[in-house]
Amino acid sequence: MDKVGIAGIDRFNSSPEGWHPTDFLPGCKSVVVFCTRVPDGAVNAVLRECEDHLMSAHGIYGAFGYVGAPNYNLLWANYKLAMFIEEKTGCIAVPEPAGPTHGAGMLSMRHAAFAAGLGEFGWNSLILTPEFGPRNRFGAVLTTAELEPDPMYSGPRLCDPSKCRVCVTMCPTKAIPTYVKDQGRVVSVGGKTCTYGGTNWARCRVMCHGTIPEYNETGENLIPKEMTNPINEDLDKPIFEFYNRNPRMHFHQHNPTWKCGYCLVYCPVGNWKERFEDRGLTRVRMSKMVDGWEAG
Ligand code: B12
Ligand code: SF4
Ligand code: SF4
């Protein structure tokens, strides 16, 4: 794993009912959270799809940046760590699935990663780490073992949405709200407070699940004619009707959940300039979307 942190159970005091670690493991005392970074090569595949319209390249991201290798990598790390903790301590350890192909939400992985000190929320609602920005995928193990917690992240502020508009601009369905001072979702854990935009999931699913015809393997137009603009206030109904007609897409979450990801790919945090701009892998000019960005 590329990073690991431990959160004591007190950091989940403000978890909503049904999402608290003790709901899944009575007596849970610690949550171990770790991540695997998204390879630059998988990010490049999304750049090729987005900027060169090489649609087939996106599969590289699906396989090696999202539901394929990274989720399996997390799955095995989860399993081995849980076994290790049980063998060494005699306590119970519950591994948490990492997302598509292994089930969806049990614990909010973003809150768990924040609570374990791995990084902070970006305006795009993803957890940013100083090393990789949002380009990490997280796994977690809940355990009744009392482990020494790590401090909350206390490095430099990573996201300043008053200066950066990248995720808002790049999101094709306007699922990420425009930054407005004193608006957004506030989260306070372990004495650290962050504000993030809050993603509109109905809009995000239009892209992520390939539910617009350009992306959708079924060829079906999910959005009714009168709603051809995907930036629509009422996308939930057609989306759920679509899943009812195509239950495979809903329950298995295999092929169609790995589209888009532009908010993850283009976020400048995590040495984006060195990794992608300086290597000539993108034609998108950050200087147009980030105040004070060194002209490029
Ligand atoms: C299902 C899912 C999706 C769905 C839609 C989600 C939905 N809610 O309908 C779709 C497919 C659209 C999606 C999109 C993406 N996803 Co996704 N997704 C998930 C998954 C599997 C579950 C999320 C979920 O539904 N959680 C339940 C909700 C309710 O939790 P929540 O929104 O985080 O928290 C809310 C409350 O429950 C409460 N709360 C819950 N727990 C706690 C605890 C505390 C202490 C507090 C204070 C509050 C609190 O606060 C929140 C406000 O309501 C998670 C993995 C996971 N288990 O977390 C990945 C995950 C969030 N996704 C991830 C990623 C990378 C993406 C994409 C970039 C994928 C892509 N295409 O490239 C996009 C990004 C969208 C964006 N900008 O946010 C990563 C994020 C990594 C990171 N760096 O932060 C995760 C964590 C997967 C992983 N293993 O790493 N995703
Ligand atoms: S994954 Fe795409 S549609 Fe969803 S929030 Fe990110 S940029 Fe927007
Ligand atoms: S793209 Fe900019 S505003 Fe969005 S999360 Fe990253 S740093 Fe924050």
Side-chain angles (χ1 to χ4, degrees):
M1 292 292 106
D2 290 302
K3 280 173 81 86
V4 61
I6 297 174
I9 199 65
D10 54 311
R11 297 210 183 139
F12 294 88
N13 285 345
S14 49
S15 295
E17 207 187 327
W19 293 96
H20 195 280
T22 55
D23 292 328
F24 303 102
L25 175 60
C28 176
K29 291 201 178 66
S30 312
V31 180
V32 186
V33 189
F34 39 86
C35 71
T36 180
R37 76 174 175 90
V38 178
D40 293 350
V43 173
N44 169 65
V46 183
L47 301 175
R48 303 287 58 82
E49 176 267 324
C50 180
E51 298 182 29
D52 301 339
H53 305 289
L54 191 63
M55 303 306 273
S56 53
H58 210 112
I60 298 169
Y61 176 63
F64 301 106
Y66 190 170
V67 294
N71 275 8
Y72 279 95
N73 199 18
L74 290 164
L75 187 84
W76 288 116
N78 266 310
Y79 175 64
K80 285 160 86 173
L81 180 61
M83 298 281 268
F84 178 81
I85 291 173
E86 290 196 348
E87 277 156 24
K88 293 286 174 192
T89 68
C91 295
I92 296 182
V94 176
E96 154 91 351
T101 72
H102 311 129
M106 182 169 100
L107 195 70
S108 170
M109 212 70 93
R110 287 171 289 207
H111 287 84
F114 181 53
L118 294 184
E120 60 185 27
F121 276 86
W123 186 252
N124 57 9
S125 303
L126 300 172
I127 294 296
L128 313 183
T129 63
E131 299 88 348
F132 314 116
R135 291 170 287 278
N136 344 254
R137 294 192 66 80
F138 296 102
V141 170
L142 318 179
T143 177
T144 51
E146 197 158 356
L147 305 173
E148 191 181 331
D150 284 298
M152 296 297 291
Y153 170 78
S154 61
R157 185 180 173 190
L158 299 173
C159 166
D160 181 354
S162 69
K163 295 203 172 86
C164 174
R165 299 168 294 281
V166 173
C167 53
V168 174
T169 312
M170 294 306 292
C171 177
T173 57
K174 299 277 176 279
I176 302 172
T178 303
Y179 170 75
V180 178
K181 194 171 181 290
D182 298 329
Q183 283 189 18
R185 295 197 184 165
V186 180
V187 54
S188 289
V189 169
K192 186 174 168 66
T193 300
C194 272
T195 305
Y196 62 98
T199 307
N200 178 323
W201 294 117
R203 291 181 190 180
C204 179
R205 278 183 191 279
V206 171
M207 287 300 288
C208 266
H209 289 224
T211 41
I212 56 174
E214 288 84 349
Y215 280 81
N216 174 3
E217 287 89 345
T218 67
E220 188 174 343
N221 188 0
L222 159 64
I223 315 291
K225 278 202 179 65
E226 64 276 16
M227 290 173 63
T228 41
N229 178 1
I231 307 164
N232 193 290
E233 294 300 329
D234 187 24
L235 282 172
D236 284 327
K237 193 165 173 280
I239 284 173
F240 287 116
E241 283 172 359
F242 176 80
Y243 285 126
N244 286 339
R245 284 196 302 278
N246 301 282
R248 183 181 64 85
M249 292 178 77
H250 186 57
F251 295 115
H252 292 286
Q253 289 197 333
H254 271 288
N255 50 338
T257 65
W258 41 264
K259 315 290 185 184
C260 195
Y262 300 161
C263 54
L264 174 142
V265 161
Y266 283 100
C267 174
V269 178
N271 303 315
W272 196 89
K273 184 175 184 301
E274 292 75 10
R275 289 177 191 273
F276 308 110
E277 193 171 282
D278 292 352
R279 287 170 169 169
L281 297 176
T282 178
R283 295 187 298 282
V284 168
R285 292 291 137 229
M286 286 287 163
S287 49
K288 295 200 168 130
M289 294 183 279
V290 186
D291 297 343
W293 185 265
E294 202 180 306

